[in-house]
Amino acid sequence: ETGVTQTPRHLVMGMTNKKSLKCEQHLGHNAMYWYKQSAKKPLELMFVYNFKEQTENNSVPSRFSPECPNSSHLFLHLHTLQPEDSALYLCASSQEGTGYNEQFFGPGTRLTVL
Amino acid sequence: GENVEQHPSTLSVQEGDSAVIKCTYSDSASNYFPWYKQELGKRPQLIIDIRSNVGEKKDQRIAVTLNKTAKHFSLHITETQPEDSAVYFCAAMGYRNSGYALNFGKGTSLLVTP
């Protein structure tokens, strides 16, 4: 698959579990993003990485921990989540520098916290 | 920071009619305004965008208008078809912290009935 890929596509976890979401972009972009999409608050920006450096942490609880080892990979580490964290987690990438940057989204990970 | 308001939240039209979705933004420095379409169970995909140096852009049945003075922009879909049914998100690109990021509206659920 080309573009932006995410794994797993579906995840069910208990509140005491630790899991990680993975995102990979094959577009040569230098910026990557995590969004949370739920029925109540569509497309909430969580984290932004430019050139592997985190530039945005949108008041996200510490039970979500991002990691960006290189410009092509982005992880979201999850631990002691709450049921209200159940949502679709979308990764996106773009080419930063001009401000006219189309963001390409991955297919998302549907997370259910029991 | 940037705040994007989108209206209406739901819109139902008959096939062949036009649909208009409106957005306002708060940051006068925002200079790029994309529109994304998200079909049920799929990722958001860019359908059209406009930059701050133009007032209107068309692509077949889709058009976007921008009024920088009033800080609002609109999506126009003519001759709607059932496959236009989806959630549409507007966004405004602004400079945040040390990088650019998109601020999304809350989405409009469009239903086109045959």
Side-chain angles (χ1 to χ4, degrees), chain A residues 52 67-71 73-75:
Chain A
K52 302 184 297 179
E67 179 190 1
C68 189
N70 54 61
S71 295
H73 294 86
L74 185 64
F75 295 90

Side-chain angles (χ1 to χ4, degrees), chain B residues 39-79:
Chain B
E39 297 177 26
L40 189 63
K42 297 191 176 180
R43 73 189 78 188
Q45 291 195 299
L46 182 75
I47 55 171
I48 194 167
D49 56 15
I50 191 167
R51 301 182 182 186
S52 58
N53 56 348
V54 297
E56 185 176 1
K57 183 177 178 180
K58 281 186 179 181
D59 183 2
Q60 300 181 344
R61 297 185 297 108
I62 295 174
V64 58
T65 58
L66 171 65
N67 183 327
K68 283 219 75 179
T69 303
K71 290 190 280 190
H72 65 70
F73 56 113
S74 302
L75 178 71
H76 304 253
I77 306 175
T78 58
E79 299 172 28

Side-chain angles (χ1 to χ4, degrees), chain A residues 65-101:
Chain A
S65 175
E67 179 190 1
C68 189
N70 54 61
S71 295
S72 299
H73 294 86
L74 185 64
F75 295 90
L76 188 63
H77 304 299
L78 316 171
H79 64 97
T80 59
L81 294 191
Q82 304 297 312
E84 59 264 30
D85 296 323
S86 299
L88 180 68
Y89 288 85
L90 289 162
C91 172
S93 71
S94 70
Q95 184 62 27
E96 282 295 301
T98 67
Y100 302 136
N101 309 326

